[in-house]
Amino acid sequence: MRENYNNSRPEPADHAIARSRGGLTTKTHLVCDGRGRPPGFVLTGGQVADTIMLPLAVRQIRVPTAGRPWTKPDRLLADKGYLSRFNRAGLRARDIKVTIPERDDQIAHRRKRRGRPIKFDAAEYKGRNVVERCFNRLKRWRGIAMRSDKTARNYHAGLRVAAALLWAHTVQDKQSTITLMRTRRARRR
């Protein structure tokens, strides 16, 4: 019997597992608030680009409140993988402030063409570590850390349960700074 890592056939689409440099991996594109509570996330295979997942991840934000659900953050902090003109324009259209550092290749391209540098607040960007702490809390569950579920549906359900428990352990407030980034890839074992 051949192991899945050595098998060259592609994984079915409902597994959210794909071949990348680290082998068969899954990415979790997570959105979390300023207190490290995840209101939404999207699962993809390991080779999917982060840039194209930003609009979908932001649309996952839906926090129930006493009135209408909260769906729009005041500010979005993200790592370099999520930066693109399309993403900036989409967030600007929704009136969401953005703090994303510029990639080196974009800086070099802008210097050749004489463009205006993007607005970036380094002090504000330091708050992005909240999402790392959120992932650490979610990965206390072995099944989430190791990605032992075969289908994406089961893995997504486990993430939802862990996220609900994180929300249950914190007190609701109106802080709406949102942080977004991808996980370190979860390897299939």
Side-chain angles (χ1 to χ4, degrees):
M1 182 175 164
R2 296 173 70 187
E3 289 184 19
N4 213 5
Y5 182 77
N6 297 325
N7 190 348
S8 61
R9 289 179 292 154
E11 285 285 326
D14 68 338
H15 288 192
I17 297 174
R19 195 167 303 284
S20 67
R21 283 189 271 169
L24 293 173
T25 60
T26 298
K27 279 187 189 176
T28 306
H29 302 271
L30 178 78
V31 179
C32 79
D33 69 356
R35 297 190 62 200
R37 301 174 301 190
F41 42 84
V42 178
L43 295 178
T44 62
Q47 88 291 359
V48 176
D50 296 337
T51 306
I52 62 174
M53 297 312 299
L54 180 71
L56 185 58
V58 170
R59 273 187 258 135
Q60 297 294 317
I61 301 170
R62 191 170 198 299
V63 179
T65 61
R68 288 185 4 205
W70 172 70
T71 58
K72 186 185 132 210
D74 295 334
R75 176 172 293 279
L76 185 121
L77 310 173
D79 67 349
K80 293 179 180 184
Y82 291 100
L83 184 65
S84 73
R85 284 185 188 163
F86 176 77
N87 288 341
R88 281 192 171 279
L91 293 168
R92 198 176 310 119
R94 289 188 62 192
D95 200 28
I96 299 172
K97 295 174 188 163
V98 180
T99 303
I100 303 175
E102 200 170 16
R103 292 193 308 252
D104 294 339
D105 64 329
Q106 291 175 338
I107 292 171
H109 184 266
R110 182 177 37 81
R111 286 184 180 154
K112 288 179 189 175
R113 303 243 179 193
R114 295 286 187 193
R116 187 177 70 179
I118 62 170
K119 190 174 179 183
F120 176 72
D121 183 7
E124 183 79 35
Y125 188 67
K126 288 182 180 180
R128 194 181 63 87
N129 69 39
V130 173
V131 77
E132 295 289 348
R133 294 193 311 250
C134 178
F135 273 121
N136 289 338
R137 282 191 229 126
L138 287 172
K139 287 186 174 185
R140 288 178 188 166
W141 291 39
R142 184 188 300 179
I144 292 172
M146 294 177 57
R147 176 57 159 103
S148 55
D149 295 311
K150 183 168 180 128
T151 62
R153 182 188 65 207
N154 292 348
Y155 187 62
H156 193 266
L159 274 169
R160 282 199 177 267
V161 169
L165 289 174
L166 281 181
W167 276 90
H169 288 297
T170 59
V171 178
Q172 296 275 345
D173 71 343
K174 292 201 171 210
Q175 186 176 4
S176 62
T177 298
I178 294 293
T179 307
L180 174 87
M181 70 166 278
R182 65 176 166 76
T183 64
R184 291 172 196 95
R185 294 184 171 114
R187 286 187 84 172
R188 176 80 194 277
R189 297 190 185 209

